Amino acid sequence: MGHPRKALRTTAVGAVSATLIAGTALGLAPTAQAAPAGIRFVDITGDGGTVLKANVVTPANADGSRTYPLIVLPTSWGLPQIEYLAQAQKLADSGYVVLTYNVRGFWQSGGEIETAGPPDVADTSKVIDWALANTPADAKKIGVAGVSYGAGIGLLAAAHDKRIKAVSAMSGWADLIGSIYSGRTQHSQAAALLNGAGTITGRPSAELQQVFKDFFASNLAKEPELIAWGAKRSATTYIDKINANGAAIMLANAWGDTVFSPNQYADFYEKLTGPKRLEYRPGDHATPEVTGLFGLPNDVWTNTGRWFDHYLKGEDNGIDREQPVQLKSRSTGGYEGYPDWKSVGATSRKIALGGTSTIRANVNSGADGGIIFLSSILDQLAQLPPMASVPLLPRRYAAVWQSEKYASPQRVRGTAKLHTTVTGTKESGTLVAYLYDVGPLGLGKLVSNAPYTFHGQTPGKPFGVDLELFSTAYDVPAGHRLALVVDTVDPLYIEHNPTGAQLTFSSPTADPSYVSVPLREQ
């Protein structure tokens, strides 16, 4: 079932390379260099006695006569504690005590990688305890921020520690299973990146090693355990606690995040009842924030500072009066504000998926979601998403439907939804849906995609499929079409199509098939 070994081979080199590049770019571990002025490296005893390597930056004028708001920054997966030093210094210069620490299991911190498990959450509270006892930090003004792994830990900490009053979670996750197992499909490149980076820079626990083993082996008998493991590490599981504690939550993510897809953040945002903000920008995992780690101007970090200034310092900087949902279009680069997520796609247009199409499995038709990091970074920097010649896609392996040519631009905003009827020749299978912007010459630019896997279906018996594609903001020019393409193989995902399988897509009269495309109000 599937081809996990092939998926691992094709992504292992990328995982190793990405980790080494990131580590080189952000510098060496702190023991290999002198501490900059105003920064001290410390050891903090975390949960269960585990030693956490950390650094503290205090305002230059701190003389013990007053306290300052505290910001805690847990590190990203695989990166050392100096990751945030540029931003920590900026925050300290603006009047914060900043403590950034290397999460357990990575680099020089002790313990093993717990993947945001209970020990990691408890560590954040221990770090806060230490800061309150050893720095001029104000116990009533505490915030947590982080990128990727640090973002996930920060959200979980806000559910378990009432002292946390504000969070900025950048390129993180609220639903771990919804991120790397959406549509009941393993996101193999994303998982291989995490596995490779963890092995290189840290000490994976026996539990984590088994989780990855079962994940890549497509072991359905272990699926309930994997889901339970992920739920324990997902902020959405503790939404009631987060809401009860009332921390102000800022979420930021990239449209093309191939590790933590944008949909799960939007779903989580809608469930929050306290002060909240949601930002989306072009790019891939953590790429919208990366320039800020070097101290360069960066919108995400700027808004993070404004968020803390308002909710920790009480500054009237207007961030609470702005539209709380802020989107940056992949096409125009301009920001758009909305009162809530459901207002993003104010209207929708259905594309009928008529007729009957049968495709053979196990072959990549030429339509795919690209390569982790590379494809979405090209889209971010040069507006060059993955492309395919739609007329040349082999109909033997890809089902294709197209809209009419649009007389005016179609501003796609939010989450496109596919509804169709599928009949398989095997009890298991995987399909991947792609939405393309098709120009006059038939060249399709990828607007969105998503995988879907089924198990336990009766061969030859039709069943309904409802699939949400990954949320996006993309403008289809006038004179172009939208095309929905469905095939069975994508390098980003593990497929579950037995050899020789076929899938038939139909549109019964009583239950017609369609893709619903959300559009910004014209």
Side-chain angles (χ1 to χ4, degrees), residues 27-239:
L28 300 175
T31 55
Q33 61 179 37
I39 299 172
R40 58 191 176 108
F41 292 106
V42 299
D43 290 351
I44 296 175
T45 301
D47 184 58
T50 297
V51 175
L52 305 174
K53 297 293 182 177
N55 58 65
V56 182
V57 191
T58 54
N61 60 352
D63 58 6
S65 63
R66 54 163 293 191
T67 59
Y68 301 86
L70 169 68
I71 296 179
V72 174
L73 297 163
T75 51
S76 301
W77 185 273
L79 294 185
Q81 79 231 41
I82 60 170
E83 171 189 6
Y84 299 118
L85 281 188
Q87 286 299 324
Q89 188 64 66
K90 284 188 174 184
L91 289 165
D93 290 344
S94 64
Y96 292 94
V97 171
V98 186
L99 196 155
T100 174
Y101 70 97
N102 228 98
V103 293
R104 64 172 54 224
F106 285 102
W107 294 86
Q108 293 131 321
S109 284
E112 297 178 326
I113 300 172
E114 300 288 345
T115 323
D120 289 304
V121 178
D123 282 345
T124 305
S125 292
K126 291 287 188 180
V127 167
I128 292 173
D129 292 341
W130 186 94
L132 294 178
N134 295 277
T135 74
D138 188 334
K140 296 181 180 180
K141 300 176 180 179
I142 298 173
V144 179
V147 176
S148 185
Y149 194 39
I153 290 174
L155 288 175
L156 288 163
H160 293 85
D161 194 324
K162 295 180 180 180
R163 296 174 297 179
I164 297 171
K165 304 303 181 185
V167 174
S168 177
M170 298 169 270
S171 290
W173 78 93
D175 182 347
L176 190 55
I177 296 300
S179 296
I180 62 174
Y181 193 55
S182 72
R184 211 178 175 187
T185 308
Q186 296 99 322
H187 295 213
S188 55
Q189 286 192 15
L193 174 66
L194 296 174
N195 189 21
T199 300
I200 293 169
T201 63
R203 298 169 298 282
S205 65
E207 179 187 37
L208 178 59
Q209 294 179 53
Q210 187 63 47
V211 164
F212 276 122
K213 181 179 179 180
D214 293 337
F215 182 89
F216 286 115
S218 304
N219 188 345
L220 281 179
K222 294 290 186 177
E223 185 180 49
E225 294 178 28
L226 291 173
I227 291 173
W229 177 86
K232 183 185 294 186
R233 292 159 171 80
S234 298
T236 191
T237 301
Y238 310 100
I239 186 66

Side-chain angles (χ1 to χ4, degrees), residues 302-376:
T302 295
N303 287 342
T304 291
R306 295 174 63 222
W307 191 252
F308 288 137
D309 287 346
H310 179 74
Y311 287 103
L312 295 184
K313 290 183 179 179
E315 291 185 5
D316 184 15
N317 56 18
I319 196 167
D320 58 318
R321 296 189 296 275
E322 295 174 0
Q323 297 276 39
V325 177
Q326 294 285 323
L327 313 182
K328 192 172 186 180
S329 167
R330 292 166 51 199
S331 303
T332 66
Y335 282 100
E336 303 166 1
Y338 300 86
D340 48 40
W341 177 249
K342 62 178 177 290
S343 299
V344 171
T347 61
S348 63
R349 172 172 288 181
K350 288 184 178 181
I351 301 172
L353 310 180
T356 299
S357 297
T358 298
I359 60 174
R360 299 187 179 188
N362 312 122
V363 174
N364 188 339
S365 69
D368 63 53
I371 301 172
I372 189 171
F373 285 126
L374 177 61
S375 298
S376 291

